[in-house]
Amino acid sequence: NAGVMQNPRHLVRRRGQEARLRCSPMKGHSHVYWYRQLPEEGLKFMVYLQKENIIDESGMPKERFSAEFPKEGPSILRIQQVVRGDSAAYFCASSPRNFGGNTIYFGEGSWLTVV
Amino acid sequence: KNEVEQSPQNLTAQEGEFITINCSYSVGISALHWLQQHPGGGIVSLFMLSSGKKKHGRLIATINIQEKHSSLHITASHPRDSAVYICAVNTGTASKLTFGTGTRLQVTL
């Protein structure tokens, strides 16, 4: 049973380009969460999705950021017109249910560098 | 003030020492997680607690709900335990985790 798979592991983008980060949850998990870790800062919640639904996006910046979790395929975190401040590690996590009482499983992270 | 506070921020220990990392939180929670993050690496969930104590190998985690405090203990520490240990809590909205800023542990020979 493969764990949470994220790709790419490392991504370099020039300012103004788009970044797409992908996350395949563990088999049987229908809940996906994205977190961001800025350099020298703690992790921050971004968005919580179930298949075809955004449940909670209160941690997402209002502009340039979007997330989806389609019926088929991985969850995608999309950052348009990237700026240097978007450079961070982006972690995806999944759980079989809303993890109020469940262990959460993290991916290895995607490190975005904006030059 | 952060909702989740960890101490110490940095910790250096010699191999074999007993290590304690503390986490205090100021909100009502449904569960508390201890996570491990290696340099440049991913995040591993070590424990999820809602009460009492859990043990896994050389790791022990305790939580006191009344005092809003949790501790992570490492017995007989080893250099491979060197990592950042992060405390995180599920608050009222179960979908969100609120994280502490982490404790950077280095265990030397």
Side-chain angles (χ1 to χ4, degrees), chain A residues 2 5 15 18 20 35 40 42 69 84 91 96-97 104:
Chain A
M5 304 298 293
R15 281 178 293 172
E18 179 179 285
R20 283 194 183 213
Y35 299 92
E40 304 304 320
F69 188 14
R84 288 233 171 95
F91 288 93
R97 292 174 294 279
I104 187 169

Side-chain angles (χ1 to χ4, degrees), chain A residues 37 43 48 56 58 99 102, chain B residues 37 48 90 94-96 99:
Chain A
Q37 188 175 39
L43 286 149
Y48 162 39
D56 183 345
S58 57
F99 62 77
N102 299 290
Chain B
Q37 184 176 27
M48 187 194 66
N90 287 111
S95 62
K96 290 183 187 177
F99 298 85

Side-chain angles (χ1 to χ4, degrees), chain A residues 37 40-43 91, chain B residues 6 8-11 21 33-46 72 74 79-87 99-107:
Chain A
Q37 188 175 39
E40 304 304 320
E41 291 189 23
L43 286 149
F91 288 93
Chain B
Q6 284 185 239
Q9 283 190 307
N10 294 283
L11 182 56
I21 299 170
H33 302 253
W34 280 102
L35 310 170
Q36 182 192 55
Q37 184 176 27
H38 281 277
I43 296 168
V44 175
S45 177
L46 298 174
L72 176 69
I74 305 175
R80 65 174 173 266
D81 297 325
S82 299
V84 175
Y85 292 83
I86 302 168
C87 171
F99 298 85
T101 51
T103 295
R104 189 176 299 275
L105 170 66
Q106 183 163 3
V107 182

